[in-house]
Amino acid sequence: MILGALEAGGTKMVCATGDETGRIFERISIPTWSPQDTIPELTAFFKERNVDALGIGCFGPIELDRSSARYGYITSTPKLAWRDFDMVGSFANALGCPIGFDTDVNASVLGEVTFGQAKGADCVIYLTVGTGVGGGIYIEGNLLHGMLHPETGHVLIRKRADDAYRGKCPYHKNCLEGLASGPAIEERWGDRAVNLADRPEVWDMEADYIAQALTVYILTLSPQMIILGGGVMHQTQLFPLIRDKVTQLLGGYIRTRQLEDMEHYIVPASLCDDQGIMGCLELAARAYAGSPK
Ligand code: ADP
Ligand code: ZN
């Protein structure tokens, strides 16, 4: 069986083929232009390789409610060319195979629970801190959708008194994405995040904001593991800072064996930045298994 995987991002589209064990055979990346320019290239790639099913992990917001006439659409994205675009319908028509569809971050958490360090766990959060901030949630063995899908990057947090930055999010003054995304770091400190590695005050503030959000997720969802990915998390000095701050913020109120072993509780992604594309393979495998034969 050949499975197709598409990580659909705001700046690039990563297409791969692979199998249900998570093995990747081939991969290409193309820039995200408009649907008219980009979709034919993507469908041609998968058509030529005759995939049996395709899994798409997509930037959002997207419609995941199967009872909606707009199931499979990208909905209110600020990327105007992609607003109200029928992703699932476009690929289903072109390829005629089962299509699995979810958020990019749900695909990443699925990759980690299927092929990575979270195998066997049934409540796991994956948070990416990159151009945007977003989270995928695997809960009691399922990817969480609910009313829409989680938008964990926009939880409101308490801004520090020493932070004069106004925030990057057009919707909220003090949400996690607005204060802690890569572009927010760059605008606040006036340099690329990667060039700020030796400025401890940058990462102390960053860890503070991420830790506030993680504390809310811990208290709300009771995850067994929290996985942090995305470009900003390549600053690995963030991990011990975040773990200490989460411990402080929880204030000793809850005690579990996971919280006593923070190094294995709040962890970097384990699949060398392939968690998303491997999760898309699993989305494809699940779509194939669930389709009428
Ligand atoms: P995207 O979110 O666009 O899919 P990334 O997860 O790579 O892609 O996130 C890109 C953001 O992460 C940019 O704002 C960039 O400045 C930041 N970033 C990338 N690499 C690093 C690094 N090594 N250290 C700090 N920030 C980084
Ligand atoms: Zn926001």
Side-chain angles (χ1 to χ4, degrees):
M1 186 163 58
I2 298 184
L3 299 174
L6 170 61
E7 244 190 319
T11 49
K12 67 178 193 294
M13 298 278 179
V14 179
C15 304
T17 55
D19 66 16
E20 65 279 13
T21 69
R23 199 151 58 100
I24 294 166
F25 302 146
E26 196 184 346
R27 157 180 7 213
I28 62 159
S29 170
I30 63 170
T32 304
W33 307 118
S34 68
Q36 295 72 18
D37 294 328
T38 312
I39 294 288
E41 251 190 89
L42 301 176
T43 52
F45 174 87
F46 294 114
K47 219 178 166 98
E48 279 161 24
R49 283 148 188 89
N50 218 5
V51 297
D52 294 296
L54 172 66
I56 306 174
C58 192
F59 69 90
I62 58 179
E63 181 58 81
L64 292 170
D65 176 359
R66 285 183 181 270
S67 69
S68 162
R70 287 156 53 81
Y71 168 75
Y73 278 59
I74 298 175
T75 58
S76 54
T77 173
K79 289 187 78 71
L80 291 181
W82 291 87
R83 192 172 276 186
D84 300 316
F85 181 73
D86 182 6
M87 279 297 266
V88 169
S90 303
F91 286 95
N93 287 339
L95 304 176
C97 69
I99 311 285
F101 186 60
D102 218 307
T103 62
D104 44 7
V105 277
N106 266 353
S108 292
V109 77
L110 184 62
E112 290 281 354
V113 298
T114 311
F115 306 114
Q117 62 194 337
K119 230 185 251 186
D122 60 7
C123 185
V124 179
I125 296 180
Y126 175 91
L127 189 78
T128 180
V129 186
T131 307
V133 180
I137 297 173
Y138 188 77
I139 190 151
E140 314 246 298
N142 286 304
L143 294 169
L144 179 60
H145 297 156
M147 168 185 78
L148 170 72
H149 42 72
E151 282 288 353
T152 47
H154 292 266
V155 293
L156 304 183
I157 52 183
R158 197 173 48 211
K159 203 161 128 173
R160 275 183 19 172
D162 60 346
D163 185 7
Y165 177 55
R166 64 187 146 67
K168 189 87 192 159
C169 175
Y171 300 96
H172 317 113
K173 283 199 188 112
N174 57 324
C175 71
L176 181 63
E177 177 169 299
L179 294 178
S181 64
I185 296 173
E186 295 177 4
E187 200 166 74
R188 177 189 292 110
W189 301 100
D191 200 352
R192 295 182 57 209
V194 69
N195 296 336
L196 297 165
D198 57 0
R199 298 265 305 269
E201 67 277 25
V202 171
W203 308 107
D204 189 74
M205 184 177 284
E206 181 71 8
D208 211 326
Y209 292 151
I210 294 172
Q212 286 190 47
L214 298 193
T215 302
V216 172
Y217 311 152
I218 291 168
L219 295 169
T220 314
L221 292 160
S222 188
Q224 295 152 326
M225 183 183 279
I226 297 178
I227 302 169
L228 302 178
V232 172
M233 296 313 304
H234 289 141
Q235 296 295 322
T236 52
Q237 72 272 30
L238 279 169
F239 282 90
L241 294 172
I242 291 169
R243 292 176 188 127
D244 282 353
K245 287 175 192 286
V246 166
T247 303
Q248 279 168 28
L249 287 167
L250 287 171
Y253 173 58
I254 47 175
R255 288 171 199 275
T256 64
R257 68 184 156 75
Q258 288 90 344
L259 293 177
E260 274 163 23
D261 185 14
M262 273 284 177
E263 267 187 54
H264 296 105
Y265 183 59
I266 297 174
V267 291
S270 66
L271 296 170
C272 307
D273 283 340
D274 278 349
Q275 56 277 2
I277 204 77
M278 290 170 78
C280 292
L281 287 176
E282 176 65 12
L283 284 175
R286 290 182 174 201
Y288 185 82
S291 65
K293 298 292 177 313

